[in-house]
Amino acid sequence: MERFTWRPALLARHWRVDVSAEGLAMGGAPLRPWADLDEVGWAFDEVAQTLVIGLRLRWGRREVVLGYRGRGPMPSDYAAMLRAVVRALAAARPDLEVVIGHGGRPRRAMFVTGVGLAVLGLAGVALGLWWLVTLSVGEALGPGIVGAVVAPMGLAIALANRPWVALPRMPLADFAAGFDPGPK
């Protein structure tokens, strides 16, 4: 059994993960066997030099996200843990497929956020139109322009994160063969 510790974010406490050929255990919790694993997901984003990485493992209703968020290169202990988990998974469950992209709760949250932004943007456009009729053009421009920018942006976010649309998948064996998360 290999043991890894890392900080998922700058101000977060250290996480401890134990990886073996039989399963995974976090923070001294009981071992979760690979045989019972239902889904594996992988998400990797780099936004303005900030890494947002997540290996999502789902056993029934229990979801574990081995994640990292931070600036600069990925910590070597986190990269070693990812390699160990993917290697153990590929050996134990080569029949699984890896879901590529953000899924689960983060995807649903982004969808709801996008819908909320679209509704607020449309409300801004409606307010601008109302003020155009009741007040003046100058006062109507503010909410109208902001709403016209925010509504399509929210719609784009919602459409990109529709929870009922299946994310791309790839066989775990292919994923593991090309997996190189960072520093060794």
Side-chain angles (χ1 to χ4, degrees), residues 5-16 65 67-70:
T5 59
W6 87 97
R7 281 185 179 211
L10 181 62
L11 298 177
R13 63 178 171 76
H14 279 88
W15 285 17
R16 189 181 90 208
V65 179
Y68 170 76
R69 290 178 185 183

Side-chain angles (χ1 to χ4, degrees), residues 26-77:
M26 287 188 64
L31 184 81
R32 296 193 177 278
W34 299 129
D36 297 341
L37 188 68
D38 296 325
E39 185 178 81
V40 180
W42 171 251
F44 182 98
D45 294 316
E46 187 172 358
V47 180
Q49 300 175 345
T50 299
L51 292 176
V52 180
I53 304 167
L55 181 65
R56 192 177 66 258
L57 307 168
R58 189 170 53 82
W59 287 269
R61 295 183 61 125
R62 173 75 170 141
E63 185 174 89
V64 172
V65 179
L66 303 173
Y68 170 76
R69 290 178 185 183
R71 289 188 171 269
M74 179 187 321
S76 59
D77 50 352

Side-chain angles (χ1 to χ4, degrees), residues 45-123:
D45 294 316
E46 187 172 358
V47 180
Q49 300 175 345
T50 299
L51 292 176
V52 180
I53 304 167
L55 181 65
R56 192 177 66 258
L57 307 168
R58 189 170 53 82
W59 287 269
R61 295 183 61 125
R62 173 75 170 141
E63 185 174 89
V64 172
V65 179
L66 303 173
Y68 170 76
R69 290 178 185 183
R71 289 188 171 269
M74 179 187 321
S76 59
D77 50 352
Y78 177 69
M81 185 268 310
L82 287 176
R83 277 192 287 280
V85 169
V86 169
R87 190 174 47 245
L89 261 173
R93 296 286 305 275
D95 59 312
L96 280 177
E97 289 185 328
V98 179
V99 177
I100 307 297
H102 296 283
R105 284 178 285 208
R107 189 171 187 202
R108 288 189 299 273
M110 287 299 290
F111 175 74
V112 169
T113 300
V115 168
L117 283 173
V119 169
L120 284 174
L122 291 174

Side-chain angles (χ1 to χ4, degrees), residues 118-172:
V119 169
L120 284 174
L122 291 174
V125 169
L127 181 64
L129 290 173
W130 174 256
W131 283 0
L132 182 65
V133 172
T134 60
L135 298 174
S136 71
V137 174
E139 292 169 333
L141 281 178
I145 290 174
V146 170
V149 170
V150 170
M153 183 177 65
L155 184 62
I157 291 170
L159 289 174
N161 292 287
R162 292 170 290 178
W164 57 87
V165 174
L167 289 170
R169 296 174 174 264
M170 74 183 306
L172 182 56

